[in-house]
Amino acid sequence: MAFSRDEVTGAPEPSGDFLLNAQGEDVVSGVRNTQPLAELASVMPEAHDELLDILGALERHYGDMQDTEFTIEEGRLYLLQTRSAKRPAQAAVRFAVDAVESGLLDKAQAI
């Protein structure tokens, strides 16, 4: 799972977690501990870079912070789904301010 921004603060650094050699049920069951998304860069750098590029594109396309499920099979990244991310007020405000400053949204859209 990956968020296009920090899901708590709204800072523009993608966050999330992943689990090597696992299926979706392994992740949600809590049987195994996940690794922070940032560690994917050292394990699968190409997939990590591609994921970050896609997260940015999704955020620009939808005009909102995204919560994305993904899988990587034989080094190839697959997006399973994306949706607008649920987040606390602090993250929502940070995203809105950043979106206006970057030109992604105008003030009326951000409000």
Side-chain angles (χ1 to χ4, degrees):
M1 170 173 274
F3 292 89
S4 59
R5 294 171 169 260
D6 184 288
E7 72 272 21
V8 176
T9 68
E13 295 85 29
S15 63
D17 50 17
F18 72 99
L19 191 55
L20 288 175
N21 301 317
Q23 298 288 328
E25 186 60 32
D26 297 326
V27 175
V28 296
S29 71
V31 174
R32 295 175 49 199
N33 293 328
T34 59
Q35 295 174 261
L37 184 62
E39 290 181 16
L40 185 61
S42 63
V43 179
M44 297 180 190
E46 290 149 5
H48 179 263
D49 291 346
E50 183 180 9
L51 178 61
L52 295 189
D53 289 344
I54 290 170
L55 290 173
L58 288 169
E59 191 172 278
R60 288 187 301 277
H61 176 77
Y62 289 108
D64 200 2
M65 192 172 134
Q66 294 295 294
D67 172 357
T68 303
E69 293 180 19
F70 68 94
T71 191
I72 301 168
E73 186 174 324
E74 296 181 10
R76 186 164 180 184
L77 175 68
Y78 296 91
L79 294 183
L80 304 175
Q81 72 174 8
T82 192
R83 60 188 162 259
S84 292
K86 294 179 182 171
R87 69 260 190 187
Q90 174 185 352
V93 170
R94 172 76 186 263
F95 173 79
V97 170
D98 288 353
V100 169
E101 288 177 353
S102 70
L104 177 64
L105 301 175
D106 61 35
K107 288 182 182 182
Q109 292 170 311
I111 292 173

